[in-house]
Amino acid sequence: MQSTSFSVGSKGMNGIFVSFEGIDGAGKSTHIHTLAKCLEQQGRVVTLTREPGGTPLAEQLRVLVLNEPMDPMTEALLVFAARREHVCQVIVPALARGEVVLCDRFTDASFAYQGAGRGFDTAILSQLERWVQGTATFSGTAGEHAFVQPDLTFWFDLPAQVAASRLTNARSPDKFEAQSKEFFDRVSQGYALRLAADSQRFARIDANQTQDAVWNAVQQVARGRGLLQ
Ligand code: TYD
């Protein structure tokens, strides 16, 4: 296990940026909240947030993206527009204050859902990623930093079939949750590609285990990376 210390964030800001990914039904939400509590008990200030969303405007965009049928490029532009607001208003300021940012989904979700799932052009997604996460145009605290990217990304990997059976009893499905098993197989492949391209950043968690076993795996990674004591 890599034992990189996060005492100084890799982007020159003091905070630590952690994202959580996986197909719908992979079970990441419980673990994000538990990790937030553990970090707070250890004296860290935590900003717990999500995408699409995290600001009033981005939450409005979330409602549209999750519920309205739209052209794939419109969808991609809206998730990145929401991200830009979120990065500028919430993530960069929290990192500059030295906080731990725990973010339920980030750009890997756009590559997995819009890219691999929908088949939208990943070259355009890469360009949007550079624009939206590039800090050259940020005013204020993070002006001199090049790029906002998670220091650590947990990928909760679960077969689409198992995730679907977990979602069966859930509330009425949104636009994505209603997609086919084949769609989610492609989304998982999209996450696998992102991991292959940036394996240092990613921690793959086998989510096809009991909740306790998944939490143990999360804790082990968090300790190994110096996030949890
Ligand atoms: P999710 O994070 O699963 O929230 P909840 O647990 O409340 O359902 O829902 C967000 C949905 O948005 C999910 O289906 C994936 C999708 N999404 C994208 O398609 N692209 C993105 O860039 C992001 C951040 C999310």
Side-chain angles (χ1 to χ4, degrees):
M1 186 62 62
Q2 192 190 348
S3 63
T4 313
S5 167
F6 284 119
S7 56
V8 174
S10 59
K11 317 303 172 301
M13 288 174 268
N14 290 327
I16 304 164
F17 184 13
V18 185
S19 63
F20 299 81
E21 299 284 357
I23 59 173
D24 291 82
K28 59 189 161 46
S29 300
T30 317
H31 303 295
I32 301 174
H33 285 92
T34 312
L35 183 59
K37 276 194 204 121
C38 285
L39 287 163
E40 282 167 353
Q41 278 161 7
Q42 294 185 358
R44 304 294 312 226
V45 178
V46 175
T47 289
L48 184 56
T49 188
R50 70 170 181 183
E51 289 211 347
T55 77
L57 175 55
E59 289 290 332
Q60 289 187 47
L61 295 174
R62 176 189 177 92
V63 173
L64 297 175
V65 168
L66 265 58
N67 297 294
E68 302 294 333
M70 59 184 73
D71 169 77
M73 185 182 292
T74 309
E75 188 176 279
L77 291 170
L78 287 181
V79 292
F80 273 100
R83 181 160 302 128
R84 178 68 186 180
E85 282 300 300
H86 191 212
V87 166
C88 293
Q89 305 290 334
V90 175
I91 295 176
V92 165
L95 292 175
R97 292 192 300 268
E99 297 177 8
V100 180
V101 175
L102 301 184
C103 191
D104 189 342
R105 300 190 185 281
F106 196 63
T107 299
D108 299 307
S110 307
F111 280 86
Y113 280 77
Q114 281 65 52
R118 295 252 191 260
F120 184 69
D121 188 345
T122 52
I124 298 177
L125 297 177
S126 295
Q127 180 62 65
L128 289 168
E129 180 181 35
R130 283 192 291 275
W131 281 340
V132 165
Q133 290 157 243
T135 54
T137 52
F138 287 144
S139 55
T141 46
E144 73 269 31
H145 304 298
F147 196 65
V148 177
Q149 188 75 308
D151 297 292
L152 170 63
T153 297
F154 286 96
W155 171 30
F156 292 79
D157 188 15
L158 186 70
Q161 195 87 56
V162 181
S165 66
R166 287 186 186 175
L167 281 175
T168 309
N169 298 325
R171 64 195 188 282
S172 63
D174 64 36
K175 205 176 86 182
F176 294 102
E177 289 163 349
Q179 294 287 333
S180 66
K181 175 189 168 296
E182 289 67 32
F183 177 88
F184 286 111
D185 283 336
R186 292 197 299 278
V187 172
S188 287
Q189 286 162 15
Y191 280 126
L193 283 176
R194 290 288 281 182
L195 179 151
D198 197 359
S199 58
Q200 291 282 86
R201 171 166 67 85
F202 269 88
R204 179 188 166 276
I205 302 290
D206 177 4
N208 199 6
Q209 312 180 71
T210 63
Q211 197 162 308
D212 282 351
V214 173
W215 171 239
N216 283 338
V218 170
Q219 277 180 294
Q220 207 183 349
V221 169
R223 291 208 182 95
R225 303 282 184 113
L227 179 61
L228 273 182
Q229 288 159 20

